[in-house]
Amino acid sequence: MINAKRRTEPPASLVSGTYAGDDVLQALHQDFLGKCYLCEVKVSLRDIAVDHRRPKADPRFAALACAWTNLFPICRICNERRPKKFPEGGLLDPTAEDEDVEARLLQTMRPSDTTGDEIPFFAAVDEGDRSAGNTARELDHIHNARGSIKAADLRRAIAERLDEVLTLKLERERSGVVRGPVLRACEDGLREAFSRRAPFTALIRGRLGAGLEHLFD
């Protein structure tokens, strides 16, 4: 999960009580850089779904069904699988300027206790941060739920992307003593791989970005 900047002006169709209008979908797709806000997989405009961070089925949040700040772009798999109950202590909002999800969440890859394979790892940076802890557990369920074929497919896609970026990083390290176009080409490739527009940005940066923060956007 990465920070995102939501446009200030809500899409017009929200006024008429429609939260899945074309203008809403297009705005969410653009503002969240074409990605699911939870798993960061790239999602086409036609496949995007709308998630209510505060569930519209919860009576406490019924009035937020068409609230622009409560709507998030989500892939259909995460929309099916993410916990629907809003936990005590809340969840992080990646568009809230005062929440900074990237600073409050540890997002990286670590060996599985059972298989030894690297799997996504999420935790609150501050153990007393309840909303960050809740969000970490939400992300862990989406990525690591036992027995879930869809979670396994997601982990496989992340592993493949990590291999691609690791190859770029190794090429950059081998070119470290070289100046000129070779090094620039390597860094350009890594800059794109670490970009917020790339898939799985938070996990890629957490696992492979140490020392290369100058390439982050």
Side-chain angles (χ1 to χ4, degrees):
M1 179 182 283
I2 58 171
N3 296 324
K5 187 172 179 61
R6 188 192 298 272
R7 66 191 63 193
T8 304
E9 189 68 26
S13 65
L14 292 175
V15 177
S16 62
T18 301
Y19 63 78
D22 288 345
D23 58 342
V24 175
L25 296 176
Q26 290 170 3
L28 289 173
H29 194 260
Q30 291 173 7
D31 290 356
F32 288 79
L33 308 178
K35 300 198 291 186
C36 171
Y37 84 105
L38 289 176
C39 73
E40 285 197 76
V41 72
K42 298 289 283 187
V43 187
S44 68
L45 182 57
R46 68 179 182 180
D47 290 329
I48 200 173
V50 178
D51 184 42
H52 293 79
R53 195 72 175 133
R54 291 171 173 76
K56 65 182 186 299
D58 187 321
R60 295 174 296 173
F61 310 125
L64 300 178
C66 288
W68 176 228
T69 55
N70 193 41
L71 306 181
F72 294 80
I74 192 169
C75 69
R76 298 189 185 280
I77 292 175
C78 282
N79 198 34
E80 294 171 1
R81 298 184 57 247
R82 92 167 182 89
K84 300 302 181 185
K85 185 177 180 180
F86 195 75
E88 292 296 325
L91 294 165
L92 293 180
D93 177 350
T95 64
E97 293 184 1
D98 59 345
E99 295 199 12
D100 195 352
V101 301
E102 294 172 28
R104 292 169 66 179
L105 285 174
L106 173 62
Q107 305 177 78
T108 188
M109 304 290 289
R110 290 191 176 177
S112 166
D113 292 335
T114 55
T115 67
D117 295 333
E118 280 199 336
I119 62 173
F121 177 83
F122 306 93
V125 171
D126 178 354
E127 292 183 359
D129 187 341
R130 293 184 68 191
S131 55
N134 290 336
T135 304
R137 284 186 286 275
E138 174 187 46
L139 294 171
D140 180 71
H141 172 78
I142 288 170
H143 290 78
N144 297 318
R146 292 184 178 180
S148 170
I149 294 175
K150 292 176 180 177
D153 288 343
L154 176 59
R155 291 194 300 273
R156 188 158 35 249
I158 292 169
E160 290 173 355
R161 181 60 178 164
L162 277 167
D163 285 345
E164 294 172 0
V165 180
L166 179 58
T167 298
L168 291 172
K169 184 175 182 180
L170 292 174
E171 289 176 354
R172 190 263 184 191
E173 290 173 356
R174 286 194 292 267
S175 303
V177 295
V178 180
R179 294 291 179 257
V182 174
L183 181 58
R184 284 199 299 272
C186 291
E187 294 207 332
D188 286 346
L190 280 171
R191 188 174 287 107
E192 182 178 348
F194 289 135
S195 169
R196 294 174 181 279
R197 294 185 177 276
F200 316 127
T201 305
L203 291 171
I204 297 294
R205 288 181 176 184
R207 176 63 179 84
L208 299 174
L212 297 171
E213 291 84 358
H214 63 287
L215 299 177
F216 297 179
D217 57 12

